[in-house]
């Protein structure tokens, strides 16, 4: 089988996805507008089309009988166990980060607000959705396509870089305000890719780890559980209140990445 060059495959996939979604997306826009429920429905339909296209792509382009499994989306208890391990590790990291900062006097803890349980449920849905969607896209389809073209470690690094860059598709003023988290996003992308390698090339761990980070930070941020005291500089705790844009948060994430990297490099 003759495989087309990587960038031809990526561009072909992206253009096909847009062309399939565009008629539906434009119809929803003209009927409902572009905010609230319309935006949610549009994104949901886009992702359903993405999954359907991924199945066809894996079968036709890569001759895979189980295309979703080829990209790391597998069923079974191992997948669920991996996801749970990743979720618990992520939540533990967020709790540890704010606990240490609280002990150092860098943040002040507050009580839980009213309807905090409902907020956690909302955050749970957000975490599961983001973890599933972004990991199937980046560590599933994209990383697999990169590994077919390049050496594994180069593909992993490129995947992490693309992951970070695509989170900056914003107006220039937004990019300028949020640029400090770029390095943290690269490290996060590396850790998620390594997690896929370490856990049998399944997406369970990266989906769980990503979703757990979103859920835990959602609870702290939206629930207003802490406020920064100003004792420590922002570059240490996180510029703009985002831990992934600070030395403390990136250091904890870096430790996880190093441990996963060591495990991946020494695995038989």
């Amino acid at each position: 089988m003759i495989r087309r060059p990587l960038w031809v495959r990526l561009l072909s996939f992206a253009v096909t996805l847009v062309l399939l979604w565009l008629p539906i997306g434009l119809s929803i826009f003209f009927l409902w507008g572009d905010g609230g429920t319309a935006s949610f429905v549009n994104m949901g339909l886009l992702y359903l089309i993405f999954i359907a296209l991924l199945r066809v792509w894996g079968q036709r382009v890569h001759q895979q009988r189980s295309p979703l499994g080829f990209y790391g989306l597998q069923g079974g208890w191992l997948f669920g166990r991996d996801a749970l391990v990743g979720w618990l590790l992520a939540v533990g990291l967020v709790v540890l980060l704010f606990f240490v900062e609280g002990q150092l006097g860098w943040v002040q803890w507050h009580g839980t607000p009213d309807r905090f349980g409902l907020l956690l449920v909302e955050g749970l849905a957000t975490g599961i959705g983001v973890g599933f969607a972004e990991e199937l896209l980046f560590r599933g389809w994209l990383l697999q396509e990169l590994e077919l073209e390049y050496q594994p470690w180069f593909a992993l690094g490129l995947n992490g870089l693309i992951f970070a860059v695509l989170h900056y598709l914003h107006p220039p003023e937004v990019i300028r305000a949020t640029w400090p988290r770029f390095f943290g996003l690269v490290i996060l992308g590396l850790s998620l890719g390594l997690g896929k390698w370490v856990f049998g090339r399944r997406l369970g761990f990266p989906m769980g780890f990503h979703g757990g980070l979103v859920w835990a930070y959602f609870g702290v941020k939206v629930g207003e559980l802490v406020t920064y005291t100003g004792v420590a500089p922002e570059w240490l705790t996180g510029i703009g209140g985002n831990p992934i844009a600070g030395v403390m948060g990136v250091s904890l994430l870096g430790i996880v990445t190093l441990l996963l990297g060591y495990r991946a490099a020494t695995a038989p």
Side-chain angles (χ1 to χ4, degrees):
M1 179 184 67
I2 299 176
R3 183 180 294 120
R4 293 180 179 181
L6 171 67
W7 299 109
V8 173
R9 298 200 309 272
L10 297 185
L11 184 61
S12 299
F13 187 95
V15 169
T16 303
L17 178 62
V18 171
L19 290 177
L20 289 172
W21 167 79
L22 197 57
I24 301 173
L26 288 176
S27 299
I28 292 175
F29 172 77
F30 286 120
L31 289 173
W32 290 355
D34 62 348
T37 303
S39 178
F40 177 79
V41 171
N42 236 333
M43 292 305 298
L45 289 173
L46 174 62
Y47 209 76
L48 288 176
I49 295 172
F50 167 73
I51 295 174
L53 178 59
L54 199 62
R55 291 176 62 90
V56 176
W57 187 266
Q59 291 172 343
R60 299 291 180 85
V61 176
H62 298 301
Q63 310 301 313
Q64 295 294 320
R65 293 185 177 181
S66 178
L68 294 183
F70 172 65
Y71 289 112
L73 187 61
Q74 305 169 13
W77 75 272
L78 282 177
F79 189 92
R81 180 208 63 182
D82 298 345
L84 180 61
V85 170
W87 191 281
L88 293 177
L89 175 60
V91 173
L93 284 178
V94 174
V95 171
L96 176 62
L97 172 66
F98 285 106
F99 173 78
V100 170
E101 291 183 347
Q103 293 298 108
L104 293 173
W106 297 353
V107 299
Q108 181 178 359
W109 282 88
H110 307 291
T112 57
D114 296 335
R115 301 170 66 85
F116 186 63
L118 183 61
L119 185 147
L120 289 181
V121 172
E122 181 183 348
L124 180 65
T126 302
I128 292 174
V130 171
F132 181 87
E134 292 202 4
E135 292 315 301
L136 184 56
L137 173 62
F138 288 104
R139 256 57 62 179
W141 170 67
L142 181 58
L143 181 56
Q144 183 66 54
E145 295 289 344
L146 291 172
E147 288 181 304
L148 290 172
E149 195 80 11
Y150 303 119
Q151 292 295 321
W153 289 94
F154 181 80
L156 179 75
L158 186 56
N159 180 262
L161 185 62
I162 294 173
F163 173 71
V165 168
L166 291 182
H167 278 76
Y168 276 81
L169 299 179
H170 298 291
E173 60 273 14
V174 177
I175 295 175
R176 287 193 296 269
T178 60
W179 70 265
R181 69 188 180 114
F182 183 84
F183 181 70
L185 284 170
V186 174
I187 298 298
L188 176 59
L190 293 176
S191 68
L192 293 166
L194 287 166
K196 180 186 178 184
W197 287 1
V198 169
F199 286 84
R201 303 194 68 81
R202 297 180 294 271
L203 286 174
F205 178 86
M207 284 182 173
F209 189 69
H210 196 159
L213 288 176
V214 171
W215 180 67
Y217 183 63
F218 184 95
V220 173
K221 180 72 173 180
V222 180
E224 299 180 340
L225 299 185
V226 301
T227 53
Y228 290 92
T229 61
V231 172
E234 275 195 329
W235 60 263
L236 195 56
T237 58
I239 295 174
N242 190 337
I244 208 172
V247 171
M248 286 289 290
V250 172
S251 296
L252 281 179
L253 196 57
I255 291 172
V256 173
T257 305
L258 289 174
L259 291 175
L260 289 171
Y262 175 79
R263 182 70 181 88
T266 57

